């Protein structure tokens, strides 16, 4: 058994997965009396492809990875849960994560009864590599990293990530949900160098498809096979497979460039307000902003019809709001509302 196989839960290593009716017949034409479907066409009366072959081929070409290194999930949230179910024995194993980061890592750990060791980011939200390594013991299976990180917005230096992935004794999950907005790019082209690396990306951010729920994981063919065995057989529904495939024909570059330009514009405008203490540098499609009274500003914005995320009570984020970059007109409205707040014209 190699080092990666040894990290897998014994019951998953031994799993005999469900085989769908369609696994036994690959052709497209025929009379399908195998899956107890309705024969009456509604547009949706047939089960979707459980292996998402056509969509995977298209996404693999776009992302420049072999299709056998790609898993598709019902959002990245499905892939997060699968990591615990594949690698961690409930009540026995543990995982390590940076803090603050995306809240679902902790929720999925709790649901799966896995201890999560949360390690605070260093100064200026830097990667606490030595502390993350020191937190691992013989029962540590997973390390969750997120770059660019939510909610701090910064991407970690590639060399720091590489060295941590090489040294960490378990699986490293690197969530790149916001990588399309970052000049640091992605590590997905270098999977062959890191057998313990699983990269998550999503179509919910730069691709504008949050409503369709499509998350991607990039990893070695062995880890992707495990994820495919443990997922629900038809985890990506037919409409998502079709609509995502169509959407992928429309380029996103201009919109991503516009978001990045608007991010610079809002980041430049915010420090002019007296109540803004700090705008953190961002490699993502949002800004983390520290203000004098985060709860009061949050309440004002809500009362003015502008919803942001209050991160005031999150580790290392005291006084902070997380503001997503919207359309130019929406960002204009945000800045107008902040002007009103500064002048004392406070919505309650
Ligand atoms: N990862 C990160 C870091 C996120 O911030 C989010 C959503 N806020 C997700 C994953 C969720 O992605 P999905 O919509 O694909 O489930």
């Amino acid at each position: 058994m190699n080092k990666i196989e040894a990290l897998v839960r014994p019951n998953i290593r031994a799993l005999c997965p469900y085989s769908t009716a369609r696994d036994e017949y690959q052709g497209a034409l025929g009379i399908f009396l195998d899956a107890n479907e309705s024969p009456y066409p509604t547009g949706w009366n047939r089960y979707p492809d459980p292996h998402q072959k056509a969509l995977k081929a298209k996404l693999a070409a776009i992302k420049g990875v072999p299709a056998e290194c790609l898993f598709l999930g019902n959002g990245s949230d499905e892939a997060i849960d699968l990591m615990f179910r594949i690698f961690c024995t409930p009540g026995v194993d543990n995982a390590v994560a940076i803090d603050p980061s995306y809240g679902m890592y902790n929720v999925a750990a709790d649901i799966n009864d896995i201890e999560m060791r949360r390690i605070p980011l260093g100064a200026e939200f830097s990667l606490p590599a030595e502390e993350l390594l020191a937190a691992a013991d013989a029962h540590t299976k997973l390390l969750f990293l997120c770059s660019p990180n939510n909610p701090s917005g910064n991407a970690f230096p590639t060399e720091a990530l590489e060295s941590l992935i090489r040294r960490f004794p378990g699986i490293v999950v690197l969530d790149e949900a916001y990588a399309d907005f970052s000049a640091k790019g992605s590590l997905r082209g270098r999977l062959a160098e890191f057998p313990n690396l699983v990269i998550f990306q999503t179509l919910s951010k730069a691709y504008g498809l949050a409503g369709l729920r499509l998350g991607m994981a990039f990893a070695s063919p062995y880890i992707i096979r495990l994820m495919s065995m443990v997922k629900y057989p038809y985890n990506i529904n037919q409409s998502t497979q079709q609509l995502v495939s169509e959407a992928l024909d429309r380029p996103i570059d201009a919109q991503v460039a516009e978001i990045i330009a608007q991010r610079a514009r809002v980041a430049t405008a915010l420090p002019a307000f007296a109540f803004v203490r700090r705008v953190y540098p961002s490699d993502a499609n949002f800004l983390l902003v520290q203000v004098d009274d985060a709860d009061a500003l949050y309440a004002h914005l809500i009362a003015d019809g502008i919803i942001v995320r209050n991160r005031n009570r999150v580790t290392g984020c005291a006084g902070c709001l997380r503001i997503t970059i919207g359309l130019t007109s929406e960002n204009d409205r945000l800045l107008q509302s902040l002007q009103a707040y500064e002048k004392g014209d406070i919505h309650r």
Side-chain angles (χ1 to χ4, degrees):
M1 202 182 335
N2 71 28
K3 269 198 230 159
I4 303 295
E5 284 166 3
L7 292 167
V8 178
R9 271 171 73 176
N11 61 313
I12 300 299
R13 234 185 278 133
L15 185 71
C16 176
Y18 179 72
S19 140
T20 71
R22 294 291 143 77
D23 284 331
E24 286 148 33
Y25 177 76
Q26 301 297 329
L29 293 174
I31 297 174
F32 290 108
L33 304 178
D34 59 338
N36 301 345
E37 298 153 332
S38 167
Y40 300 107
T42 59
W44 310 107
N45 57 314
R46 300 295 173 190
Y47 282 101
D49 175 6
H51 310 295
Q52 307 112 17
K53 280 213 185 70
L55 181 55
K56 268 193 183 175
K58 198 161 181 174
L59 270 167
I62 291 171
K63 295 289 171 185
V65 295
E68 78 244 33
C69 294
L70 173 61
F71 167 85
L72 301 183
N74 187 332
S76 307
D77 291 339
E78 179 181 4
I80 294 169
D81 184 57
L82 281 174
M83 289 295 104
F84 289 102
R85 292 164 64 203
I86 291 168
F87 293 105
C88 299
T89 301
V92 174
D93 290 328
N94 65 70
V96 180
I98 52 170
D99 187 25
S101 196
Y102 180 42
M104 274 306 288
Y105 313 143
N106 297 321
V107 175
D110 286 346
I111 290 169
N112 287 284
D113 192 17
I114 303 302
E115 178 201 348
M116 182 62 108
R117 302 180 172 180
R118 295 156 72 165
I119 306 301
L121 292 176
E124 303 295 308
F125 296 128
S126 57
L127 195 64
E130 298 311 317
E131 290 84 346
L132 291 165
L133 289 164
D137 63 19
H139 283 295
T140 302
K141 297 298 182 68
L142 302 171
L143 167 61
F144 282 87
L145 303 175
C146 182
S147 182
N149 186 40
N150 175 9
S152 53
N154 58 317
F156 302 114
T158 307
E159 312 74 57
L161 290 170
E162 282 172 25
S163 124
L164 182 54
I165 298 163
R166 287 213 177 86
R167 293 168 68 197
F168 194 77
I171 301 292
V172 178
V173 177
L174 176 61
D175 189 340
E176 293 185 339
Y178 301 99
D180 295 301
F181 304 104
S182 167
K184 294 206 174 69
S186 168
L187 274 183
R188 70 172 184 271
R190 299 181 48 197
L191 284 174
E193 293 172 50
F194 307 104
N196 62 333
L197 177 62
V198 181
I199 293 176
F200 291 170
Q201 290 186 3
T202 176
L203 299 188
S204 299
K205 310 294 174 186
Y207 284 82
L209 300 173
L212 289 178
R213 310 305 301 130
L214 207 286
M216 297 169 281
F218 304 95
S220 69
Y222 174 69
I223 293 177
I224 296 300
R225 275 200 302 278
L226 291 170
M227 296 180 78
S228 306
M229 265 166 51
V230 175
K231 76 179 180 73
Y232 292 151
Y234 304 107
N235 62 329
I236 308 297
N237 68 62
Q238 181 68 34
S239 59
T240 295
Q241 293 194 39
Q242 279 171 219
L243 293 171
V244 167
S245 185
E246 286 166 31
L248 290 173
D249 294 333
R250 300 189 287 271
I252 58 162
D253 312 21
Q255 288 183 356
V256 170
E258 184 59 29
I259 297 278
I260 291 171
Q262 285 293 314
R263 178 179 78 197
R265 173 207 168 204
V266 177
T268 308
L270 286 174
F273 296 104
F275 59 84
V276 171
R277 292 190 188 169
R278 178 124 199 231
V279 181
Y280 287 93
S282 172
D283 298 290
N285 66 336
F286 56 84
L287 292 168
L288 189 72
V289 186
Q290 192 182 45
V291 297
D292 284 344
D293 185 344
D295 290 349
L297 179 56
Y298 177 75
H300 159 82
L301 288 171
I302 291 250
D304 200 12
I306 299 173
I307 299 103
V308 299
R309 195 96 152 110
N310 188 351
R311 300 286 80 187
N312 193 15
R313 282 159 201 86
V314 167
T315 313
C317 298
C320 289
L321 301 181
R322 191 195 70 194
I323 304 176
T324 305
I325 301 301
L327 297 171
T328 308
S329 57
E330 295 173 322
N331 305 329
D332 290 345
R333 271 279 289 121
L334 170 80
L335 295 171
Q336 277 163 15
S337 187
L338 296 177
Q339 253 150 28
Y341 179 82
E342 186 159 57
K343 278 196 245 144
D345 182 6
I346 296 172
H347 285 71
R348 288 176 216 279

